[in-house]
Amino acid sequence: MPNSNAKLHSNHRRGREAGRRELVSRSLQSAQHCLENQDFGTAYAHYLLVLNLAPELKTSVKETFQFTLFKWAEELDSLARIQDLFNCYEQALELYPNDEVICNSMGEHLFRMGFRDEAAGYFHKAVKLNPDFADAKENFYRVANWLVERWHFIMLNDAKRNLTYFKAIENAVHSGSTSILDIGTGTGILSMFAKKAGASFVYACELSKTMYELARDVVAANNMEREIKLLHLKSLDIEIPKHIPERVSLVVTETVDAGLFGEGIVESLIHAWEHLLLQPE
């Protein structure tokens, strides 16, 4: 009897496997037929089924799947079916989470729709996955030019200004400010000044996804990624001890430009003073 049961289970498994292979084969044929008839939506649905049933085929059908996805996305875009378009890309990235071509294409759609910060995140990821991907690099630099104001570059190259900031931070650290929060860190320059000055704990927050990713790269390039904690958060959303373990002894910021009140810097500084900064006794 045990041998008979084992044989039945074995036959059942073989039957299920044969059925899976048959369904995969038919779906592939149907997908190809749909592509020939430019029915990209149905072809895409067939490829989703194939890749979920037979993940071992991911490599062999990757290029055709990408082509189908992009063609179907173009149709959805032309029909203003934006949510369906994003859903397709989310499904594709679940199947190919480290595919730089899909990330770059998603970024292009987001950029055209005006979601520049989100687009920059996908372009940045594509470049990280493949540093030699020329299209993604060009897209990332293009969207960065939209997001990073010109005054920021002028500011970074102002040696006199930077030295003044460094000296001020250094004086504060030497006077006992050992934990520092940098609000709106941008490239991370003030945070690195704080660490270089000898601060024990440095935290930095940045709301822009693009600038946050840029700060991570800059901090890592200066070998400070383990010494500066970067938060992709608005300062108003920072909580103790969820994001930082305790109140800091010094807050630094360089967000004073033409968008002073639009950035909410006044509210940010009030919040920092009331909730994040050590109060004098």
Side-chain angles (χ1 to χ4, degrees):
M1 183 67 68
N3 289 335
S4 177
N5 287 336
K7 187 175 181 180
L8 285 173
H9 284 303
S10 178
N11 289 337
H12 181 63
R13 283 195 300 271
R14 284 198 295 269
R16 284 193 306 176
E17 178 60 23
R20 182 186 73 91
R21 288 198 300 267
E22 177 66 19
L23 182 55
V24 168
S25 177
R26 288 185 178 182
S27 293
L28 282 172
Q29 292 174 9
S30 296
Q32 188 60 43
H33 179 72
C34 290
L35 285 179
E36 291 171 359
N37 290 286
Q38 298 188 352
D39 183 0
F40 300 114
T42 307
Y44 174 76
H46 280 299
Y47 277 118
L48 280 184
L49 177 61
V50 167
L51 290 169
N52 279 286
L53 286 174
E56 67 273 12
L57 296 178
K58 282 184 179 181
T59 302
S60 61
V61 303
K62 180 178 176 179
E63 289 188 8
T64 311
F65 174 76
Q66 288 175 342
F67 172 80
T68 306
L69 167 67
F70 300 155
K71 286 294 187 180
W72 179 224
E74 287 176 8
E75 283 192 23
L76 292 173
D77 193 8
S78 68
L79 295 169
R81 292 171 55 182
I82 306 305
Q83 190 56 56
D84 289 335
L85 185 154
F86 287 151
N87 288 342
C88 287
Y89 273 97
E90 287 175 2
Q91 292 166 340
L93 286 170
E94 284 180 7
L95 293 166
Y96 297 96
N98 296 317
D99 188 285
E100 70 273 19
V101 178
I102 295 177
C103 286
N104 183 65
S105 180
M106 175 66 159
E108 289 176 336
H109 281 287
L110 286 166
F111 183 77
R112 285 196 295 270
M113 294 172 192
F115 300 106
R116 291 168 183 162
D117 205 25
E118 293 82 354
Y122 281 98
F123 294 145
H124 184 266
K125 182 179 179 180
V127 174
K128 282 284 190 181
L129 290 168
N130 182 2
D132 297 323
F133 190 6
D135 287 349
K137 286 197 290 187
E138 181 180 345
N139 283 331
F140 179 70
Y141 294 140
R142 179 160 55 101
V143 73
N145 284 332
W146 281 93
L147 294 169
V148 182
E149 294 86 346
R150 290 295 182 267
W151 60 264
H152 202 95
F153 295 109
I154 297 171
M155 178 187 73
L156 289 173
N157 287 287
D158 187 342
K160 183 178 179 180
R161 169 202 167 278
N162 291 338
L163 180 60
T164 301
Y165 261 96
F166 176 71
K167 288 297 183 183
I169 292 172
E170 186 178 49
N171 289 338
V173 171
H174 291 173
S175 298
S177 297
T178 58
S179 58
I180 295 176
L181 171 64
D182 179 8
I183 295 178
T185 191
T187 58
I189 188 170
L190 297 187
S191 295
M192 292 187 290
F193 282 170
K195 199 63 198 177
K196 188 176 180 181
S200 301
F201 305 99
V202 180
Y203 312 99
C205 63
E206 176 57 56
L207 181 60
S208 166
K209 177 68 172 174
T210 304
M211 295 307 297
Y212 167 75
E213 294 289 354
L214 181 59
R216 287 182 60 186
D217 288 345
V218 172
V219 168
N222 285 273
N223 299 313
M224 293 186 181
E225 65 269 30
R226 295 184 180 180
E227 301 174 337
I228 298 173
K229 182 176 181 180
L230 289 166
L231 303 166
H232 181 216
L233 283 173
K234 190 176 183 179
S235 61
L236 295 171
D237 296 330
I238 296 177
E239 299 177 15
I240 298 172
K242 182 179 179 180
H243 301 115
I244 60 177
E246 57 187 3
R247 288 173 180 256
V248 297
S249 50
L250 179 68
V251 170
V252 297
T253 187
E254 176 51 73
T255 48
V256 182
D257 76 303
L260 174 65
F261 295 101
E263 292 182 2
I265 187 60
V266 175
E267 292 86 349
S268 296
L269 292 176
I270 291 173
H271 175 77
W273 172 259
E274 294 179 344
H275 301 284
L276 306 175
L277 189 64
L278 286 170
Q279 300 296 318
E281 297 180 357

